[in-house]
Amino acid sequence: MTKSELIEKIAAKNPHLMVKDVERIVAVVFDKIINALAKGDRVEFRGFGAFSVRTRSPRIAKNPRTGEQVKVDERRIPHFKTGKQLFELLNK
């Protein structure tokens, strides 16, 4: 599902809201999630899952084209862990 499809579905289920309002609501929610992750916070939606940030250690990697060794710096990456309810729904 894309962001625009999500907006369409929310607008269809809430006809009293204008599509522009739904777009703003979705944008604010996504912005809050992104800002929280950027600060290193954890974002949890009960039953759905939790977003967090993990740190990958610096390492030496290999360029697949040339075989040359390349230094890869430490990185922070987003991580998602499914909630119990979603996990059970997917694995009936």
Side-chain angles (χ1 to χ4, degrees):
M1 177 183 296
T2 64
K3 186 176 175 180
S4 58
E5 290 172 340
L6 176 64
I7 290 168
E8 287 174 18
K9 288 187 185 250
I10 293 172
K13 287 193 174 191
N14 296 283
H16 61 284
L17 293 174
M18 296 179 61
V19 176
K20 292 245 183 228
D21 294 333
V22 175
E23 287 175 357
R24 276 191 234 124
I25 291 166
V26 170
V28 167
V29 170
F30 286 168
D31 286 344
K32 292 295 182 185
I33 292 170
I34 291 167
N35 290 336
L37 291 175
K39 289 191 296 187
D41 294 340
R42 184 172 186 261
V43 179
E44 182 178 336
F45 297 102
R46 299 278 170 155
F48 178 71
F51 296 94
S52 61
V53 177
R54 294 202 173 164
T55 303
R56 282 192 184 161
S57 302
R59 60 189 169 89
I60 302 295
K62 197 179 267 189
N63 183 330
R65 283 192 185 160
T66 63
E68 177 185 348
Q69 288 190 340
V70 179
K71 181 182 173 201
V72 178
D73 294 330
E74 179 177 272
R75 294 182 182 237
R76 293 174 34 162
I77 58 165
H79 175 73
F80 178 76
K81 181 178 181 196
T82 56
K84 182 179 178 184
Q85 188 178 8
L86 177 59
F87 181 81
E88 290 173 353
L89 181 67
L90 295 174
N91 294 291
K92 283 186 178 180

